[in-house]
Amino acid sequence: METCPRGCAPAVRFCERVNRLKTLDDDMMATSLKRCLSTLDLTLLGVGGMVGSGLYVLTGTVAKDIVGPAIIISYIIAGLASLLAAFCYAEFGARIPKTGSAYMFTYVSVGEVWAFLIGWNVILENMIGGAAVARAWSGYLDSIFNHAIQNFTETHVMQWNVPFLAHYPDFLAAGILIIASFFISFGVQVSSYLNHIFSTISMCVIIFILIFGFILAEPVNWSQKEGGFAPFGISGILAGSATCFYAFVGFDVIASSSEEAKNPQKSVPIATAISLAIAAAAYILVSTVLTLMVPWHTLDPNSALSDAFFRRGYSWAGIIVAIGSICAMNTVLLCNLFSLPRIVYAMAEDGLFFSIFARVNPTTKVPVNAILVFGILMSAMALVFDLEALVQFLSIGTLLAYTFVAASVIVLRFQPDRSVSKGTASTSPNPNAEPSVAPSESQTINEDNGEMKQYESFSDKLQLVERQASTERRGVGQLRAYWEPYLGKLLGNCEPGEVVGYCVLSVLVSSVSFCVVLEFGSNQLNLPLWSFIVLLVIFSVAYVLSLALIWFHEPHTTRKTFQVPLVPLTPAASILINIFLMLKLSYLTWIRFTVWIAIGLLVYFGYGIWHSKEGMREQQPKDVAARYVVLPSGSLVETVQPVQPGGQSDTSAHHVNPSTASTAEESAGNR
């Protein structure tokens, strides 16, 4: 800041303020919530969150209006992109077993304002998801009674023709959400028990659909006579993949529940992998059966599966499917109402959202205020909004959260540990993590100029003297030793992890630029072929070079918890896919998303930035600052600095051993 003109100092302080990182406590398992969920509980939560209205409603809607029988490929693409994102969520959920999901992960590694915006979007994602499922639940139940509920409401209550709103108020959908919120407020064990019952029934019905559906399959429904396998072409398949993301959004409930898991380090990765595999298999097989049973262009978007059995003359099977779909949708409702208040609780606990939502009921150990308030808001959305508008809006928030979590994985993998214990700087909560040789923020003088160096933590820096002569293993976030001769002069003076942070930003920018040119270059932008190819090559090279520079740095390698394989390649691929799918969504979705982001910024700058606990932590004075000084000869000296009024400090030195005393005196005399 000293080299910066005086006028830009406030801007620099503002940027530091909104980009501050969350400091984690040493005891990662400490929580005011109740740790009672097993691996099976988390797995069924994940399955319940993914296998619901997406299977019974979205499959018919996407197949008829967007992609046709090639919905199978759309689900494979969406499942692959979800798998990459699930890897990232699994690492964070195991490494940081705190509620908050994508919000918490972004706060720890990227910055406060970005974490708030991600949390703000995850809140909307869960509200829309719950409202959409309640709408689908109501439609399926209504179909059993030949739409008697809809006809009665439109005739005797009211109806309207307003864009993005439903044709009639769905009191049934709103009512089921209020009832589900009531059950959720009884505690996590009641929620888990209900989820087990509904998930078991749903899986049994899916097995019935697959067996009976393949018996009734007619390959002619994929023939050119009925429009062919991919009537909307590659563009339709990709557009279908973007919408099909709605089917897989539920796996993040596992990461949201990690603070209530008994053994999150093992349970979260295992539950994520198993639940995603089950959900992907169910979606691919059921969509195959559905498009083989009846022609894709004759599907009923509101109740495709049960209607298909009705039309084939098996009304009893259609009723079984309708009942199974209602049970499956109940699991998704429970998962949305389970996850949403915990995101709100995490944000309120950090001071970024209204403190009333941080209160936990002492008996049930759940945030009751958040459950009831947002359950009512969700029911209001289900009352008036149309299902299709809800689903499209949901996908963009999910993809954005996935993108930031993937970026956070790269940043945190190459970032030295930061943690705090009761207000003082400390080492990583992981006792097996390798101490970083890199200079910390408290280092006052450059390590390479032969002068004194100061560190706040003695235990982490004790091995520094022994390692100064060795370059085989560098600190986390520093250049690898064998790249030092080539890039040392250019990047050697950067702080640990700083270059990686800029490279992650470059990956994001190059991914957005590449996808924009690929999606809009030849049509909306009308670029000539040569410039189209040149731009793609430029952004591809920037993307690859950014990944290479990240790989040239030392990552964390000694974690006992699950780690994403092939970092930075895996999360970078997730970023690219997520951004491309976001650009496939309609411009109206982007307009609604922009409005929601603007509202979120008003909330953050009006409330969150002033009540942030991280901001309050920074403002608290430290009574005593203990530092460890490394002298040029390699000796260590402990200094204790009581903070005096007016910013002065009285420093007293405590030598580590008698032999260092003379060294300290000689060094002081030489200076």
Side-chain angles (χ1 to χ4, degrees):
M1 192 178 297
E2 294 177 357
T3 61
C4 179
R6 182 178 302 177
C8 73
V12 172
R13 286 195 297 269
F14 174 78
C15 290
E16 291 175 349
R17 189 176 181 184
V18 299
N19 286 289
R20 56 196 166 206
L21 304 180
K22 180 176 176 61
T23 308
L24 297 173
D25 293 332
D26 277 348
D27 188 2
M28 300 288 279
M29 297 295 287
T31 176
S32 58
L33 304 178
K34 186 177 182 180
R35 290 195 179 275
C36 58
L37 297 177
S38 64
T39 303
L40 177 62
D41 296 329
L42 292 176
T43 302
L44 290 177
L45 273 175
V47 172
M50 287 183 280
V51 181
S53 58
L55 185 73
Y56 292 95
V57 178
L58 189 66
T59 300
T61 302
V62 175
K64 181 178 181 180
D65 299 331
I66 301 177
V67 62
I71 186 176
I72 300 168
I73 301 177
S74 294
Y75 272 129
I76 292 174
I77 295 173
L80 177 61
S82 296
L83 177 63
L84 297 177
F87 277 144
C88 301
Y89 273 82
E91 173 170 334
F92 269 114
R95 183 176 176 180
I96 307 173
K98 296 291 183 181
T99 191
S101 188
Y103 156 76
M104 179 64 66
F105 308 154
T106 307
Y107 202 172
V108 169
S109 55
V110 179
E112 184 173 282
V113 66
W114 308 107
F116 178 87
L117 291 177
I118 291 299
W120 185 249
N121 277 287
V122 171
I123 289 174
L124 183 65
E125 168 195 325
N126 281 276
M127 288 179 63
I128 290 176
V133 172
R135 269 279 178 180
W137 186 97
S138 173
Y140 248 88
L141 184 64
D142 198 18
S143 69
I144 298 177
F145 299 101
N146 198 25
H147 303 288
I149 300 174
Q150 176 182 349
N151 294 333
F152 178 84
T153 304
E154 291 181 343
T155 304
H156 297 91
V157 182
M158 64 185 306
Q159 62 176 320
W160 54 68
N161 292 314
V162 180
F164 311 118
L165 297 183
H167 296 297
Y168 67 98
D170 197 335
F171 296 103
L172 184 60
I176 187 61
L177 281 170
I178 292 176
I179 294 172
S181 300
F182 177 74
F183 279 106
I184 290 289
S185 65
F186 281 106
V188 62
Q189 288 180 315
V190 174
S191 306
S192 179
Y193 179 72
L194 290 173
N195 182 70
H196 286 192
I197 295 174
F198 291 130
S199 294
T200 302
I201 297 174
S202 174
M203 296 307 295
C204 291
V205 171
I206 289 173
I207 293 173
F208 166 79
I209 292 172
L210 295 179
I211 295 174
F212 198 28
F214 275 117
I215 293 175
L216 300 177
E218 296 179 351
V220 69
N221 290 323
W222 284 6
S223 66
Q224 286 298 124
K225 178 182 177 182
E226 300 293 346
F229 179 74
F232 298 94
I234 298 296
S235 178
I237 292 174
L238 295 176
S241 299
T243 306
C244 285
F245 241 83
Y246 170 69
F248 296 99
V249 299
F251 71 78
D252 60 347
V253 70
I254 299 174
S256 299
S257 310
S258 59
E259 192 166 338
E260 292 161 285
K262 296 178 182 177
N263 186 5
Q265 286 76 17
K266 291 184 179 180
S267 299
V268 170
I270 293 173
T272 301
I274 295 176
S275 61
L276 190 62
I278 292 174
Y283 279 113
I284 293 169
L285 292 174
V286 168
S287 59
T288 303
V289 166
L290 177 63
T291 54
L292 284 174
M293 284 179 61
V294 295
W296 60 270
H297 52 81
T298 64
L299 293 172
D300 182 358
N302 294 321
S303 54
L305 280 169
S306 61
D307 182 70
F309 282 103
F310 274 114
R311 288 167 54 193
R312 293 299 299 270
Y314 298 93
S315 57
W316 59 270
I319 294 175
I320 292 176
V321 172
I323 294 173
S325 69
I326 291 174
C327 290
M329 292 179 210
N330 284 338
T331 64
V332 181
L333 280 178
L334 290 173
C335 289
N336 277 281
L337 287 168
F338 183 89
S339 180
L340 172 59
R342 283 154 178 81
I343 305 293
V344 175
Y345 162 79
M347 296 175 67
E349 182 72 12
D350 291 332
L352 301 185
F353 208 52
F354 305 112
S355 59
I356 189 174
F357 299 123
R359 299 175 186 173
V360 175
N361 185 283
T363 303
T364 61
K365 299 293 184 182
V366 294
V368 175
N369 291 340
I371 292 173
L372 296 179
V373 170
F374 282 88
I376 293 172
L377 290 175
M378 195 183 295
S379 66
M381 293 182 69
L383 185 68
V384 298
F385 281 106
D386 180 65
L387 176 62
E388 185 177 354
L390 291 172
V391 170
Q392 285 228 359
F393 200 9
L394 172 67
S395 296
I396 190 170
T398 305
L399 290 167
L400 183 68
Y402 288 176
T403 301
F404 267 83
V405 170
S408 300
V409 165
I410 303 175
V411 171
L412 205 59
R413 181 69 66 87
F414 293 88
Q415 178 178 286
D417 287 324
R418 299 173 65 256
S419 63
V420 68
S421 178
K422 297 181 181 180
T424 60
S426 177
T427 60
S428 168
N430 186 350
N432 298 305
E434 183 175 348
S436 174
V437 190
S440 68
E441 294 179 357
S442 61
Q443 181 174 343
T444 57
I445 304 176
N446 192 287
E447 186 172 317
D448 298 327
N449 61 11
E451 299 181 11
M452 294 178 62
K453 296 164 281 294
Q454 294 185 357
Y455 298 91
E456 289 186 355
S457 174
F458 178 71
S459 59
D460 266 357
K461 310 305 175 183
L462 185 60
Q463 300 180 35
L464 176 66
V465 176
E466 299 175 1
R467 296 189 178 199
Q468 280 179 334
S470 173
T471 58
E472 292 183 1
R473 174 68 180 170
R474 308 294 301 278
V476 172
Q478 289 184 310
L479 274 174
R480 296 176 189 262
Y482 45 83
W483 289 107
E484 180 70 27
Y486 308 101
L487 299 173
K489 292 183 179 180
L490 181 63
L491 305 176
N493 293 328
C494 297
E495 290 292 324
E498 182 180 2
V499 175
V500 173
Y502 286 117
C503 288
V504 170
L505 180 61
S506 176
V507 167
L508 289 169
V509 173
S510 58
S511 297
V512 171
S513 303
F514 179 87
C515 293
V516 167
V517 173
L518 188 64
E519 178 66 18
F520 306 113
S522 58
N523 295 325
Q524 286 85 345
L525 299 179
N526 295 318
L527 294 175
L529 181 60
W530 67 268
S531 62
F532 178 80
I533 295 175
V534 168
L535 287 174
L536 289 181
V537 170
I538 290 174
F539 296 133
S540 299
V541 170
Y543 180 86
V544 173
L545 285 178
S546 300
L547 295 183
L549 280 176
I550 294 173
W551 183 76
F552 291 162
H553 291 75
E554 290 286 356
H556 285 285
T557 57
T558 56
R559 297 284 177 191
K560 287 189 175 182
T561 57
F562 172 80
Q563 287 189 314
V564 177
L566 301 176
V567 172
L569 183 61
T570 300
S574 177
I575 291 171
L576 187 63
I577 294 174
N578 295 335
I579 290 174
F580 181 75
L581 292 177
M582 287 174 70
L583 295 178
K584 299 294 291 185
L585 298 173
S586 68
Y587 72 93
L588 289 176
T589 301
W590 278 95
I591 293 174
R592 292 193 291 266
F593 173 74
T594 303
V595 172
W596 180 250
I597 288 291
I599 297 172
L601 289 173
L602 290 176
V603 174
Y604 174 73
F605 288 109
Y607 181 89
I609 193 172
W610 308 106
H611 296 83
S612 169
K613 290 187 177 180
E614 282 300 318
M616 295 178 182
R617 190 198 304 273
E618 291 175 357
Q619 296 173 3
Q620 291 177 352
K622 294 183 180 179
D623 296 331
V624 176
R627 300 179 182 273
Y628 297 86
V629 181
V630 182
L631 300 179
S633 61
S635 303
L636 299 177
V637 176
E638 176 186 7
T639 64
V640 180
Q641 297 176 318
V643 177
Q644 303 293 339
Q648 299 178 349
S649 60
D650 180 21
T651 304
S652 59
H654 302 274
H655 299 286
V656 177
N657 53 62
S659 63
T660 60
S662 60
T663 307
E665 293 173 359
E666 293 174 3
S667 299
N670 293 334
R671 294 180 184 279

